[in-house]
Amino acid sequence: MKKHNFSAGPAILPASVMEQASKAALDFNGIGLSILEISHRSPEFSAVLDEAEILVRDIANLSDDYAVLFLQGGASSQFFMTAMNLLDDNEMAAYADTGSWSAKAIKEARNFGKVEVVASSKEQNYTFIPKGYEVPANAKYFHLTSNNTIFGTQYHSFPETKVPLVADMSSDIFSRPIDIERFGLIYAGAQKNIGPAGLTLVIVRKDALGKVNRTIPTMLDYRTHVSKKSTFNTPPVFAIYVAMLTFRWIKAGGGLEAMARKNAAKAQLIYKEIDDNPLFTGTVTSKEDRSQMNATFVMAPGKEELQATFLDMCKEAGCVGVKGHRSVGGFRASMYNAMDIESVQVLVDVMKAFSERYG
Ligand SMILES: *Cc1c(COP(=O)(O)O)cnc(C)c1O
């Protein structure tokens, strides 16, 4: 039976990408060696790395002001690397607290400078994206989490600021066009929308670097990876290869405009069912902030005992990964780029059948 993978991350990848990746694991481009066993300095891998960078530049419409880095350590390492590289001890950075990942970024940044939380939805369990706040002009940057994977909220526009944005885009990178000029730095763990875990994509304005006074360990200094083109040490070769294949797939599929259209259609389909179905309730209080990547919902009040039954029905229909994050409960349908609308329709049909049987 076909599986419909609604996992939040590691998550669904395009089938064609996984097919090519498995072939390359046995014999890469007919060279008689696996992609897993060739040098990261071989001409074959250099070509992969070059193409990956060119594709990112093309997809995100990057100028030469920006560097594209393929790093390790996950988005979680970026929580401290961003502040370590961009914020001096006596400077202040503004942060929005819109979920667990934002909170972790704030905690790490405090080790390197002053942090002002200028917007937060924490008191309401992160059920909306805060609006109507000022980002102080003396902030070094404004950090936000563009999509809150756990709580199912997403910025559909970014606040006007006088300072550059720094964004954790782990769970919605390349799901829609990016107004890149507004960003000083963007980071994303690969395992939600790009490729396998073990790779972290960073896009950084080169002129933002080299402005802090502290000593930065070589591996944690973005300038190392800019000057060595992500091969100061051994990069995650296979993960970069798979990401490159995904970038090709995004480009061939019409780029970010096309991804955005497809993602909007999927989101509309599931949220309509969440709103119409009497057995379910969405967890995001302001509908305009609902995530197009992760739809979070719970059983309607009084129906909580049916939760396990619904998950069983999902499983029977091949829908996996629908259980919500432990801090929110209920359900979460993650619908990253690689998910087709047909899979969302399967889940919606399960929701309909469930309410016919138990409503
Ligand atoms: C998954 C996720 C992270 C954590 O990523 P790691 O690569 O596991 O460190 C951080 N931020 C967001 C928004 C995420 O979705």
Side-chain angles (χ1 to χ4, degrees), residues 45 110 158 160 170 225 319:
F45 181 69
R110 289 206 158 111
F158 297 110
E160 288 304 322
S170 293
H225 305 289
C319 296

Side-chain angles (χ1 to χ4, degrees), residues 73-77 79 101 145 147-149 168 170-171 189 191-192 200:
S76 299
S77 294
F79 296 160
W101 299 119
T145 313
N147 182 70
N148 297 280
T149 327
D168 176 358
S170 293
S171 53
Q191 68 273 20
K192 313 279 166 61
T200 312

Side-chain angles (χ1 to χ4, degrees), residues 30 59 116 246 279 298:
I59 290 167
E116 255 184 51
T246 306
L279 291 191
V298 292

